[in-house]
Structures are given as structure tokens and as C-alpha cells.
Amino acid sequence: GAVKGWGEHAQNLIDCNACSQIGIYAIESGDKLAVSPSFSMSKAERAEALRGCEDPTVPMAKGVTVQGVKYMCIKADEDLTWAKKGAYLLMVGKTKHVLVAGICDLDKVDLKDATSAFEKAVQVLRNGGC
């Protein structure tokens, strides 16, 4: 069913090393659709990430907080936000119905490879009407 599909999207991002941690959340209900065991994003953090998608100046000015850790925003637009803390990159993407957030360890994966794989995964969801 749908849950297996969401899990597959999340697992694909982990399998291709784009993310070591991932969460996919329904925007309207706030439900967790697929979340890796080591990842959590509070309701307030999700709301802030969504605001950042609507107004990219917000994360650029305030940074992005996930799991209580504040990341410095390095790029933001209506579709995607990239934020960094040390060797960790936080990637946030929004489609019509879901918020996707992933963290990757830049000591283990190339920045360009990770962002490219994440962007592709978000685009696949968008193209699928999600």
C-alpha cells in the first residue's frame, strides 16, 4: 500500500547514500509517512520548515532547526532548503502534499551527489502528484 511506497522512497535515499537519516511527513495531517529510526522532526520544526518553503528569507535569516539542532542555511528557494552544521547537511524539500527532510554526513558523501539525489527524489514525488 501507500506506506510501503513511502518507505521505499525513504530507503532509496538511504541506499544511494544521499541521506543517513530521513523523514517524510504529510503536510496536512502531520502524519509520519516514512521515518528512519534515528530521525524525528517535531511539529514546530516541520511548521518552521514549511514556512521556509513559502518564504525562503526565513531560513536564510534564522537557520533551520531539526531534532533540536540548528543548521545554518546555505541555500533556500520555494522548493528546497539546504542547511549545514559541521559535516552535516540538512536537506528539506516540499511537494504539494509532503515535506521531505534528510540529513547526510558530508564526511561520507559528496555534497553534489547528495543534493542531486535528494532533488531527484523530491521531483519524483512531485511528478507523481504527491
Side-chain angles (χ1 to χ4, degrees), residues 2-3 31 53 59 67 105 107 112:
V3 174
D31 291 347
C53 294
Q67 300 185 120
D105 181 345
D107 286 339
K112 197 171 178 183

Side-chain angles (χ1 to χ4, degrees), residues 13 17-21 71 83-91 102-115:
L13 282 167
N17 291 327
C19 299
S20 54
Q21 301 175 51
Y71 292 79
K84 205 167 173 275
K85 168 106 180 167
Y88 293 93
L89 177 71
L90 168 69
M91 301 175 283
I103 296 173
C104 74
D105 181 345
L106 295 175
D107 286 339
K108 297 179 181 170
V109 63
D110 180 72
L111 173 74
K112 197 171 178 183
D113 292 345
T115 56

Side-chain angles (χ1 to χ4, degrees), residues 54-98:
E54 290 159 17
D55 181 1
T57 63
V58 173
M60 290 303 284
K62 294 174 54 179
V64 184
T65 301
V66 171
Q67 300 185 120
V69 176
K70 187 171 188 169
Y71 292 79
M72 185 181 81
C73 188
I74 55 175
K75 177 186 170 196
D77 60 32
E78 300 80 31
D79 298 323
L80 299 158
T81 300
W82 311 132
K84 205 167 173 275
K85 168 106 180 167
Y88 293 93
L89 177 71
L90 168 69
M91 301 175 283
V92 178
K94 175 185 170 278
T95 68
K96 190 173 179 183
H97 300 289
V98 299

Side-chain angles (χ1 to χ4, degrees), residues 115-126:
T115 56
S116 173
F118 189 84
E119 283 183 44
K120 272 189 207 141
V122 171
Q123 194 58 51
V124 164
L125 292 173
R126 268 194 206 108

